[in-house]
Amino acid sequence: MNHPPFASQTSRRRRGSLAVVAAALLLTATAHAQPGRPPYYQPLDQNTPPGQTGAWLNAIRGYDQAWLQPMRVQVTGGGRVDVFSGGNTPVAGRTSPLIVAASAGHLYRLKVSEMRLFPGLEIYPTVELVDRLHPPAGREDEFPVPIIITADDIKIALRGQLVTRVIYLEQPQIAASFDPLDAEIPQSVAPTDNALQEADRLGRPMAIIRIGGRQPSAGSPPGFFGTGGAVQVRPVPEQQNPPTAAEVGLPSQVLQTSGRKPVR
Amino acid sequence: MRYYFLALGALVVVCTGCAGLDSGSSILANREHIAPPAEMMTRPGPMVDGPGPGVLAMLAQPGAQPAMAPMPAMSTQVKFVGPATMTVGWQVGSGYATNQLGSGGYYDFQQGAIYQLVLDGVGFPNAPERRLYPTLEVRNAHPNTMAYLQHNDVPVEITAQDLDQIKSSNMVTKVVYLPDSEFQSRAISGFETLVSTPLDPGVDPVQQAEQMGTIMLILRVGSKDLQPAASMVGADGEVTQVSYQTLDGNEGQMAPPTPIGYLAGAVGGGVPPAMIAAGGGVPGQAVQPVAGMGGMPVWGMPITGTPIGLPGPAHLPLGAPAGLQSHTIRNLSNNYVPEPAKHMLIDVQHDPGYNLPEPVRHIQYKESHPVHAAGEVAHPASKAAQFYGF
């Protein structure tokens, strides 16, 4: 028999053992790095009944109901926006764009009418304000949460579908290099994904917008029009109406405004 | 020998890693966090949702905020989209209100009820217009459909194919449901309509729709005429036409629909609301039913004269002297009535079971601040007067 040298045999065994160990570690690492699995339990998602997410967060965090978070509501092509809050009579309204300052943790119903692109049409989307920002005192209106209702949204709603958007404040560490002057950068998630969790992964969810085609009627309960948070309507500050290229020189303001991207 | 143990250890690691790759009952699967159903999330249960046993709302601490979102009384907005010549009416009390809506109109129906509709002018170019009497079952809102129903109407349409089936005396069932996320092709939620006619024989469209989503509406329509032209002959031989109480919307006679039936609480699902187990809502009162009270029979009182359900003997002598001194009925049935169970064991199992993360038990917070010795920091010249006095 031709026996190999002892040193060579030992080396071969050692290499074989190292190969087995390496394969084992690779398989283990692959098993623990499975994509798509939520790292923690998330009870809320985009299908949670409207108002529940805000109510839970309001109960947990105890938002200051006297402090009103500004939202910049804009309708593509122009239109009039009236705001309801827990009653069938609008609290206030203005022509788009406008600043709607509202209490965090509440659901609000908007009435969008007099749209130039959709004459004679009225839609009633809702805005659920789930969080608030902490802008410098006295400059709150310079850092609003953008609420943009596009023509595509309205067309989808008229087809009997429901458009749900989650607007979040992105984390600077993982922020993508989008154009800071874009008012919104829509991203889509799969139907089986949790849009709220995805927004939470990318940043801090601020608002949930739902756009459908349902019209209120005389028998609509007050809860249809929101949960009764405080609301103020103000005009948009001049430097935001409309954003121009000259504002490129104001990166702090523009980046804050455009840094919130909707996930739908 | 050491190579043997090294190989054995590597084999254990390989097996552990491979087990983690399995998406079934594996080690990693046990670490997954699995949420309870949506209706349980909406109503978490005792001690979390609403007052617990023996706790009255009046004893609640002032200023406490409920964690639950206010749920408005829900109605479903139904939009009747066609055909274009159709008008919509419904049953009101014992009569009917016709022409309440035109094609394209909508109405908010209270949920959890069944309505009798009257559709006039249902016709197509190749089919004459006729009147139909469908029923509309409006399901209760489910947490899965609540957002959709608060923002969208639910369309109902009678098509030419439906009318052909009805003319052939077939019943058409149309189920409008909101598909579950795994049955949606896009992230934008949209309704689906399941019609019974193209389904295979024996397939229940309602059951089929429940497997794919949450039902919002069920329209059942057939060829039955609920207002047939009938006549009655009076005692004097006079023929009188039967008349129906009818309101006509074209003449301004409007009336809301009256439900012809209500759905059981189980339909639509959900955890029942928080309640206090007490009679009349007052703790300490007895809970109905109580034997012998409120119309309930006294406990132990037989409702028939004999133990086996047969009527007992006549107790009145029918014209003859009372002579019967003994009456015996023997039950020779070979019955087996087991002893009552003294201990009950019910095994339930969710697969996969709920798996919630461990609560936070320890937080360690540490901050590091730079410490500067004298002379290591400098003040700006503009603040020199503040710090150095010159």
Side-chain angles (χ1 to χ4, degrees):
Chain A
M1 292 180 66
N2 185 18
H3 294 283
F6 178 75
S8 174
Q9 188 176 12
T10 304
S11 175
R12 190 175 304 151
R13 286 178 181 173
R14 185 172 299 164
R15 284 199 300 270
S17 300
L18 291 176
V20 171
V21 172
L25 293 177
L26 178 63
L27 286 174
T28 307
T30 306
H32 283 271
Q34 296 181 69
R37 295 189 183 278
Y40 57 88
Y41 174 62
Q42 175 57 270
L44 302 171
D45 60 17
Q46 66 270 25
N47 297 322
T48 305
Q52 182 170 327
T53 303
W56 280 22
L57 296 178
N58 195 10
I60 294 172
R61 299 172 179 171
Y63 294 131
D64 181 7
Q65 297 300 299
W67 194 88
L68 305 181
Q69 168 63 48
M71 296 180 285
R72 187 181 191 272
V73 182
Q74 182 176 359
V75 181
T76 302
R80 178 181 173 80
V81 178
D82 293 282
V83 185
F84 297 83
S85 181
N88 56 8
T89 304
V91 177
R94 289 186 70 90
T95 304
S96 169
L98 69 157
I99 292 291
V100 177
S103 302
H106 283 279
L107 180 75
Y108 304 93
R109 177 80 66 167
L110 306 181
K111 173 188 175 184
V112 182
S113 58
E114 302 176 12
M115 290 180 283
R116 187 173 58 84
L117 300 180
F118 302 93
L121 182 68
E122 295 179 353
I123 63 169
Y124 291 82
T126 61
V127 175
E128 185 173 358
L129 192 58
V130 300
D131 205 344
R132 55 160 290 185
L133 298 174
H134 297 272
R139 298 174 59 190
E140 290 85 358
D141 287 358
E142 299 177 19
F143 304 92
V145 176
I147 308 293
I148 299 178
I149 299 173
T150 67
D152 287 340
D153 295 338
I154 299 173
K155 291 176 183 175
I156 293 172
L158 294 180
R159 290 202 300 263
Q161 294 175 309
L162 175 65
V163 179
T164 304
R165 289 183 168 193
V166 181
I167 299 179
Y168 64 92
L169 178 67
E170 63 182 357
Q171 291 188 24
Q173 295 86 352
I174 58 174
S177 58
F178 294 113
D179 184 359
L181 290 183
D182 282 348
E184 65 160 11
I185 305 161
Q187 301 164 283
S188 294
V189 297
T192 53
D193 287 348
N194 186 344
L196 206 59
Q197 186 174 19
E198 179 67 10
D200 187 62
R201 187 183 68 83
L202 298 172
R204 188 151 60 96
M206 298 298 302
I208 305 173
I209 309 171
R210 298 179 177 91
I211 306 171
R214 178 168 180 167
Q215 306 286 318
S217 62
S220 296
F224 178 83
F225 297 96
T227 54
V231 174
Q232 285 184 357
V233 172
R234 300 191 283 264
V236 176
E238 288 299 327
Q239 64 269 25
Q240 294 185 30
N241 190 18
T244 61
E247 295 182 14
V248 177
L250 305 173
S252 60
Q253 296 178 16
V254 178
L255 281 174
Q256 288 290 342
T257 304
S258 62
R260 307 172 193 100
K261 299 175 294 187
V263 174
R264 70 178 174 181
Chain B
M1 181 59 71
R2 59 180 178 178
Y3 297 117
Y4 171 75
F5 283 112
L6 180 61
L8 183 61
L11 182 62
V12 171
V13 174
V14 168
C15 293
T16 305
C18 292
L21 290 176
D22 185 14
S23 60
S25 56
S26 64
I27 295 176
L28 283 186
N30 291 335
R31 295 176 183 165
E32 289 182 359
H33 300 144
I34 299 162
E39 58 268 25
M40 291 187 64
M41 296 304 303
T42 306
R43 313 303 301 263
M47 301 183 69
V48 180
D49 174 29
V55 179
L56 292 177
M58 64 184 70
L59 299 180
Q61 293 296 324
Q65 293 184 346
M68 302 307 302
M71 296 296 176
M74 285 290 292
S75 61
T76 298
Q77 187 167 93
V78 182
K79 188 174 185 178
F80 300 91
V81 295
T85 57
M86 180 178 71
T87 61
V88 181
W90 39 67
Q91 182 172 337
V92 178
S94 58
Y96 293 93
T98 60
N99 301 320
Q100 302 294 301
L101 295 174
S103 181
Y106 57 85
Y107 188 83
D108 289 358
F109 290 89
Q110 290 299 315
Q111 296 172 348
I114 303 173
Y115 301 89
Q116 180 71 59
L117 301 182
V118 184
L119 305 181
D120 283 301
V122 181
F124 294 92
N126 296 328
E129 296 180 1
R130 61 175 296 176
R131 170 179 282 192
L132 298 176
Y133 294 89
T135 60
L136 183 68
E137 179 177 329
V138 182
R139 289 288 182 97
N140 289 319
H142 187 274
N144 291 344
T145 60
M146 201 167 288
Y148 183 86
L149 291 175
Q150 286 193 19
H151 295 84
N152 289 83
D153 52 45
V154 184
V156 168
E157 182 180 16
I158 303 294
T159 64
Q161 291 78 12
D162 299 335
L163 204 55
D164 289 341
Q165 294 290 333
I166 295 169
K167 284 166 57 179
S168 305
S169 298
N170 291 329
M171 177 179 166
V172 177
T173 302
K174 311 189 82 166
V175 184
V176 186
Y177 66 99
L178 190 67
D180 291 338
S181 57
E182 56 265 33
F183 295 106
Q184 292 180 6
S185 57
R186 300 180 59 192
I188 301 171
S189 300
F191 69 92
E192 295 284 348
T193 302
L194 190 64
V195 187
S196 61
T197 48
L199 298 178
D200 294 334
V203 176
D204 184 0
V206 177
Q207 188 177 11
Q208 194 78 10
E210 284 180 339
Q211 293 177 355
M212 295 187 291
T214 307
I215 296 176
M216 298 182 287
L217 287 180
I218 302 174
L219 185 79
R220 297 179 175 90
V221 54
S223 58
K224 184 177 182 180
D225 186 1
L226 297 184
Q227 294 174 287
S231 59
M232 292 187 301
V233 180
D236 55 353
E238 181 181 1
V239 177
T240 305
Q241 294 294 326
V242 174
S243 62
Y244 299 93
Q245 181 185 359
T246 302
L247 303 177
D248 191 354
N250 292 334
E251 298 179 0
Q253 299 169 341
M254 313 298 285
T258 304
I260 61 173
Y262 293 93
L263 303 178
V267 177
V271 179
M275 58 184 179
I276 298 175
V282 180
Q285 295 294 317
V287 181
Q288 297 291 350
V290 176
M293 298 183 64
M296 299 300 295
V298 177
W299 191 86
M301 173 67 73
I303 59 174
T304 54
T306 63
I308 61 171
L310 298 177
H315 296 284
L316 295 177
L318 302 177
L324 182 63
Q325 298 182 359
S326 173
H327 176 90
T328 303
I329 296 178
R330 296 198 304 171
N331 186 358
L332 301 180
S333 303
N334 186 17
N335 296 328
Y336 171 68
V337 180
E339 291 292 323
K342 296 180 181 178
H343 304 285
M344 171 68 77
L345 173 63
I346 300 177
D347 293 328
V348 299
Q349 182 177 7
H350 284 262
D351 189 14
Y354 310 146
N355 190 354
L356 304 182
E358 290 290 333
V360 176
R361 293 190 175 88
H362 180 203
I363 296 178
Q364 188 174 14
Y365 182 77
K366 181 180 181 181
E367 281 190 358
S368 297
H369 299 279
V371 179
H372 300 285
E376 291 184 356
V377 294
H379 297 289
S382 60
K383 302 292 184 181
Q386 179 180 347
F387 293 102
Y388 304 113
F390 57 88

